[in-house]
Amino acid sequence: HINNIMKINFRILYLLSLMFAAMLCHAQQTARQWNSEVTAGWNLGNQFECSAPGQDSESIAVGDPEGADNAETAWGNPLVTKKTIKAVRDAGFNAIRIPVRWQCHISNPSAMSISRIWMDRIKEVIDWCLEYNLKVIVNVHHEKWLESRPLYANKEENCQKLALLWLNIANELNKYDYRVAFAGTNEVHEPDKWGKPTAENLNVQNAYNQTFIDIVRATGMNNAKRHLIVQTYACNADYGLYNGDFIIPTDIEGNDYMSVELHYYNPWEYVGSGECYYWGEPYKQYGASQSDENTMIKFFNKLADEWSAKGLGVVIGEWGITNHFKASEADHMQENMSYYCKTLVSEARKRGFSTFVWDNNRFGNGADMFGIFDRSKNMSIKADWVIKGIKEGVADSAK
């Protein structure tokens, strides 16, 4: 009888030790620790942030229109599979940002309740990421009722709806461990206005950030110290670094579990529109952009001085480079693109920033061709110069 009791107690202790070991493996991290462990992050772009089939992508309507469950493929991309996630992991990435549009999957607008089918689908993809031990960012992306109306007239209503939306998301995802981070908004801006924001615009963005922090923390459990990511206006750090434009939200945990997100598509004429074909000091003789390594380094140093020094993490939630070249110089120009990727990843990682490259699954030559993996062809890598540059940047940052 005593032996049986001892065996039972030993078994209980053994099981408890396994549980404790599992907890240690995924112990809570500060935001800065979380970011520093992201060797390279990737965006599952133009997928879960799509509007419902046939719906105007700029619509501010909140609801669950017919066919909304098929929104994942509305912009021409195939369904995400477990193989999609594995291919990203196998290419060297250890984190994935999942942009999500929720507004066309709201079953009860008054409570901002989320369609069960949509929520289960998002959780399925998160589960695949965690199975491959990838860190994950889940955000609120292309919520046009929120993003396109940073105005006092809509502030109170939008903050209430944002709180309800995040209450639902946070409760659904609360059981996930520290590897899953939440990002409150995306590129908040008035339609077609990407220039300097007004004081009104900035005030509303700051209110969105505070609302997000407050409601997620209020859900407790794993969310009490969840890595939460807030944004500058339009995710443009220039609208957050100067003149008190960005106000760090008050968090019951202080700054330890909070990051600031920016998007870095600089210089746009090189990485986005493709009007300029070369970048960087070694390529000056070919007519490279005036914005170069020194520009990037000074800017990243400013981010570190402004935010890292205050204990905040820094997330470059989007960056990328469109494939653009002259046929006669394609190899040389893509070699230059690799150099840009290497420099950005290396300089960001040296400062503890996480980086998530944008991939919209678009291929060709010109503007907005940010495709890396061809999701329609078994995730084959079509922009190997981008992968090469990222890997070189990771290696360089470790020296």
Side-chain angles (χ1 to χ4, degrees), residues 146-183:
L146 178 84
E147 291 184 4
S148 66
R149 300 189 298 169
L151 305 168
Y152 289 138
N154 308 105
K155 178 182 174 182
E156 183 176 353
E157 175 195 355
N158 282 356
C159 284
Q160 289 176 351
K161 288 165 70 175
L162 182 65
L164 289 170
L165 178 59
W166 267 113
L167 177 66
N168 292 319
I169 298 169
N171 279 327
E172 281 283 345
L173 306 185
N174 205 333
K175 292 183 180 179
Y176 285 118
D177 63 44
Y178 81 88
R179 290 173 293 175
V180 179
F182 301 159

Side-chain angles (χ1 to χ4, degrees), residues 19-92:
M19 291 172 61
F20 183 67
M23 289 172 65
L24 286 178
C25 287
H26 302 302
Q28 196 65 41
Q29 293 183 310
T30 66
R32 293 184 67 181
Q33 290 169 333
W34 194 99
N35 290 317
S36 67
E37 286 191 1
V38 175
T39 51
W42 177 80
N43 269 281
L44 185 56
N46 284 23
Q47 203 82 55
F48 292 106
E49 78 274 28
C50 303
S51 50
Q55 184 183 50
D56 179 359
S57 63
E58 297 300 313
S59 170
I60 65 171
V62 173
D64 192 17
E66 184 178 355
D69 293 338
N70 300 317
E72 179 181 348
T73 59
W75 291 355
N77 289 331
L79 287 170
V80 176
T81 67
K82 191 174 180 180
K83 290 182 178 179
T84 307
I85 306 304
K86 183 178 184 296
V88 175
R89 192 280 308 268
D90 290 349

Side-chain angles (χ1 to χ4, degrees), residues 32-42 93-96 135-137 227 345 349 352-356 394:
R32 293 184 67 181
Q33 290 169 333
W34 194 99
N35 290 317
S36 67
E37 286 191 1
V38 175
T39 51
W42 177 80
F93 294 93
N94 73 339
I96 290 182
K135 284 178 165 40
V136 179
I137 294 176
H227 178 198
V345 171
R349 279 187 50 75
F353 306 165
S354 62
T355 62
F356 291 79
V394 172

